[in-house]
Amino acid sequence: MNKPKKLYYTVFVLILSLLTGLVTACGTQTQTTNSGAVKSTNVRVGFFPNITHSQALIGRANGSFQKAIGDSNKIEWKQFNAGPAEIEALFAGEVDIGYIGPGPAINGYTKSKGDIQIIAGATDAGAILVSRKDLPIKDVKELSGKKVAVPQFGNTQDLSLRNLLQINGLTDTTKGGTVEIRQADNPDIKTLLDKGEINAALVPEPWGSTLVKDINANVVLDYNQVWREGNYATAVIVVRTQFLKDHPDIVENFVKNHVELTDYINQHKDEAKQTVNAQITELTKKPLSKEILDAAFGRLTITNNPEKDSILDFVTLSVNTGFIKEKPDTKNLVNLEVLNKVLKEKGKSEIQ
């Protein structure tokens, strides 16, 4: 190679190296200001377009989470429709904080050996057991010989159903029992129930109220009869353990805003419901009627409390039903340190 070409090549390599460094710097989310380098973090937040994730929907709408974490950082909202997909995104580092059901959260914690932790609650209860309109069922024991649908195997509703069956001396057909449990998406459950292809379903809101209103499904067990008188987690907040270690201030400010949104929803329910419905409409193009919205909200509790005892019971159910092979060490599954710090600063009672 002659000297001019060698010089050009050297300059090219140098420029390429500088560009690579710039890209790497962007990847580590560092931005430069006139006063020097200031760290900027993209906070990827997972959520579902569902009323059980009301704090996420309202915080997304009014920008309060963005304000809470500071202008130098950026919220990126990541929408999901199934817990396993969100867990995989957490595993891949594509989501940092997520609103999710306790079932997938437990599975994620177990599979990753603690790389994901539950740091707050979001919603309790909000699920009902229904039967098709021409099949009134008065007792869970009557599910023997029936086909019952849940939105997803291993999720909150599925584990709740299996617990109900166990209490009433029943088991599913895969274990030699008499109750066939089917997995189907919530819209498909509506079709299957209406056509008589299944006999009953245990579903979350607003689908429970939708089945009652649209296809005249019978309520077998209401939200406070399914399990623990309604005092069980339906949606929680999880965080990647490494993200919590790297950005404790961001997580604390996120949780602080979550607590404030919880208070707002409970104190301004009508306004909150309208905002939630507007978000659902924007994200799914399917608004909820006022009747379904009111009925659904009446069946759930918006809360910060992750109901730790219920989560530990879910762990036991997951092991007993085979969704988890071995019971994990649950010492760090529910980490209340950040939440209790926020609650204490606000003069609220800490959660045990």
Side-chain angles (χ1 to χ4, degrees):
M1 184 181 292
N2 59 39
K3 288 185 178 181
K5 288 185 177 179
K6 186 173 182 179
L7 177 61
Y8 293 149
Y9 178 78
T10 302
V11 172
F12 172 77
V13 170
L14 179 61
I15 292 173
L16 182 61
S17 176
L18 289 171
L19 288 173
T20 302
L22 179 61
V23 170
T24 301
C26 291
T28 56
Q29 302 161 332
T30 301
Q31 64 182 21
T32 303
T33 66
N34 293 332
S35 59
V38 178
K39 286 186 177 180
S40 175
T41 302
N42 290 338
V43 185
R44 289 77 55 91
V45 181
F47 75 105
F48 290 16
N50 195 298
I51 61 172
T52 55
H53 294 201
S54 290
Q55 296 97 326
L57 294 176
I58 294 176
R60 178 179 183 272
N62 66 18
S64 60
F65 280 116
Q66 179 59 65
K67 183 178 179 181
I69 69 169
D71 294 337
S72 62
N73 303 308
K74 181 182 178 182
I75 289 277
E76 292 183 17
W77 294 97
K78 304 283 188 177
Q79 180 180 332
F80 296 90
N81 294 308
E86 185 172 341
I87 290 297
E88 289 302 320
L90 282 155
F91 286 167
E94 297 169 357
V95 168
D96 304 305
I97 301 172
Y99 285 79
I100 198 168
I106 292 166
N107 288 336
Y109 172 85
T110 303
K111 289 180 180 179
S112 68
K113 300 188 184 301
D115 288 347
I116 296 169
Q117 297 180 348
I118 296 170
I119 57 171
T123 306
D124 283 3
I128 61 174
L129 177 65
V130 299
S131 63
R132 69 172 193 257
K133 61 184 178 182
D134 60 339
L135 183 65
I137 292 176
K138 302 298 182 182
D139 192 292
V140 174
K141 291 183 175 64
E142 295 178 46
L143 293 178
S144 180
K146 306 294 192 298
K147 300 172 183 176
V148 187
V150 293
Q152 197 169 64
F153 290 144
N155 81 340
T156 309
Q157 290 77 49
D158 183 38
L159 293 175
S160 299
L161 174 62
R162 293 174 193 273
N163 180 62
L164 280 170
L165 297 181
Q166 182 180 340
I167 291 172
N168 287 273
L170 300 173
T171 54
D172 70 279
T173 51
T174 63
K175 290 180 169 52
T178 58
V179 181
E180 181 182 337
I181 301 177
R182 289 191 180 183
Q183 174 180 272
D185 292 336
N186 286 309
D188 295 333
I189 288 177
K190 178 181 176 182
T191 302
L192 292 170
L193 198 63
D194 194 32
K195 290 183 176 181
E197 294 181 24
I198 57 173
N199 307 110
L202 205 161
V203 293
E205 292 296 350
W207 288 101
S209 296
T210 298
L211 295 178
V212 172
K213 180 180 182 295
D214 289 357
I215 61 172
N216 298 314
N218 303 293
V219 177
V220 180
L221 295 178
D222 213 332
Y223 74 100
N224 56 351
Q225 299 171 308
V226 170
W227 194 39
R228 296 173 62 97
E229 298 181 339
N231 297 313
Y232 66 91
T234 295
V236 296
I237 297 179
V238 295
V239 66
R240 288 193 294 110
T241 302
Q242 190 60 51
F243 187 84
L244 176 59
K245 290 178 180 178
D246 293 342
H247 306 285
D249 292 343
I250 289 178
V251 175
E252 181 179 333
N253 288 330
F254 186 95
V255 171
K256 187 179 297 182
N257 187 63
H258 171 77
V259 170
E260 291 168 355
L261 286 169
T262 301
D263 290 342
Y264 165 77
I265 294 169
N266 286 322
Q267 294 166 12
H268 304 85
K269 288 187 177 180
D270 289 338
E271 292 177 16
K273 284 188 286 188
Q274 291 176 13
T275 303
V276 168
N277 203 14
Q279 282 287 294
I280 290 174
T281 303
E282 175 190 330
L283 296 165
T284 69
K285 312 303 179 188
K286 297 177 181 179
L288 299 172
S289 69
K290 186 179 186 303
E291 183 179 350
I292 290 177
L293 189 67
D294 289 344
F297 260 93
R299 288 190 168 111
L300 53 82
T301 301
I302 305 297
T303 181
N304 306 307
N305 191 339
E307 304 292 353
K308 184 176 180 179
D309 287 346
S310 75
I311 290 172
L312 296 179
D313 283 345
F314 275 133
V315 172
T316 301
L317 285 170
S318 295
V319 174
N320 291 344
T321 53
F323 291 115
I324 296 178
K325 292 182 179 179
E326 295 182 6
K327 189 171 183 177
D329 180 356
T330 57
K331 179 181 178 181
N332 297 313
L333 171 59
V334 182
N335 180 353
L336 297 175
E337 185 177 343
V338 176
L339 176 60
N340 279 333
K341 181 180 178 182
V342 169
L343 293 175
K344 186 176 181 180
E345 288 175 354
K346 291 182 173 295
K348 297 175 177 288
S349 299
E350 296 182 30
I351 296 171
Q352 301 302 315

